[in-house]
Amino acid sequence: MPPLMRWLSIALLAALPAVAAGAEVLTLCYHYGCDRNRRIEVDDTAQIWFRQRLDGAADAADERAAMQDIVLSYYQRAAREAPIASDRGGNHEDATNVGRMDCLDHSHNVLVLLQLLADKGWLRHHQLLGQVHRAPLLFDHHAAVAVRDVASGQDWVIDSWFRDFGAPPVVVPLAIWKEGFSP
C-alpha cells in the first residue's frame, strides 16, 4: 500500500468512534453508597495504555505508581459519562453534588478496575486482596482497596476518596491506613 494510502487509512480509523470489539464494561457507582451507577466502557485504546503502563513497571513501587495513574485515567474517562468530576475529597465538601462519591463508591470503583487488571494477568508485582475496612473511632467507618506486594508480602491500600477529582489516589501501607491515616 502506498504511504499516502496507508496514512489516510490510519487517519480514518483513528477518526471512527471508539466502540472496540475487545472493550470491557465496568460499573461505576456514585452518589454515596453506590446509590447511582453507570456502565463505563473501557475501550481497547485505554486497555492498551493500561497494559503498557503496567508492563513498564520494573518493581512493586513502579507498579503501585502505575495503578495510581490507571485509576486517575479511568476516573477521567468515566467523567465523560457520569457527573463525577464534581466529587471532592472526603464527604464534607460535596454533599449536594450529584456526582459525589463516598468511600464505598470509591472502593467499589477502584476494586472493579483493579479486578479487570488482575483478571487479565497484568499485575505482576501485586495480588489484589479486595476491599478493606476500618473504624478507628468506632463510628468513623472507611473503606478502600488493598493489594499485596508479592515479593515483600507487604499490604498496601489504594484510596481515591481523600482527594478531589483529578488527583491520583493515595497509596499507603495497610497497617498505617488501618490506624486512621489521613493525608
Side-chain angles (χ1 to χ4, degrees):
M1 178 181 300
L4 180 59
M5 291 296 293
R6 183 170 182 268
W7 181 86
L8 286 173
S9 65
I10 292 169
L12 179 60
L13 181 63
L16 292 174
V19 179
E24 298 282 348
V25 178
L26 303 179
T27 300
L28 176 98
C29 71
Y30 59 97
H31 208 64
Y32 288 9
C34 288
D35 184 55
R36 298 183 185 174
N37 59 64
R38 186 77 51 100
R39 292 168 50 90
I40 303 298
E41 183 178 281
V42 180
D43 63 22
D44 285 340
T45 302
Q47 290 182 61
I48 290 167
W49 185 82
F50 293 172
R51 181 159 191 184
Q52 288 173 341
R53 184 66 184 90
L54 289 164
D55 283 350
D59 57 25
D62 285 349
E63 191 168 85
R64 287 189 299 276
M67 285 187 275
Q68 283 180 294
D69 292 346
I70 290 167
V71 169
L72 179 57
S73 173
Y74 172 66
Y75 272 143
Q76 290 170 338
R77 289 170 178 275
R80 298 177 200 158
E81 306 292 325
I84 63 171
S86 64
D87 183 50
R88 298 293 167 252
N91 288 350
H92 304 292
E93 300 297 321
D94 63 356
T96 61
N97 294 345
V98 173
R100 66 186 178 261
M101 292 188 284
D102 64 7
C103 65
L104 297 176
D105 300 315
H106 280 284
S107 61
H108 165 84
N109 297 334
V110 171
L111 180 61
V112 298
L113 176 61
L114 295 185
Q115 188 65 60
L116 171 70
L117 305 178
D119 288 349
K120 290 187 173 286
W122 297 345
L123 297 179
R124 295 176 298 137
H125 302 284
H126 291 88
Q127 173 189 1
L128 179 61
L129 298 178
Q131 273 188 337
V132 290
H133 302 271
R134 71 176 191 203
L137 300 175
L138 197 58
F139 60 87
D140 190 18
H141 176 263
H142 187 55
V145 175
V147 295
R148 176 167 292 144
D149 178 329
V150 295
S152 72
Q154 183 171 12
D155 296 339
W156 294 82
V157 166
I158 300 173
D159 192 338
S160 58
W161 174 79
F162 288 114
R163 296 180 172 158
D164 289 351
F165 180 86
V170 170
V171 176
V172 63
L174 176 63
I176 293 171
W177 181 86
K178 282 275 197 181
E179 293 173 358
F181 170 86
S182 180

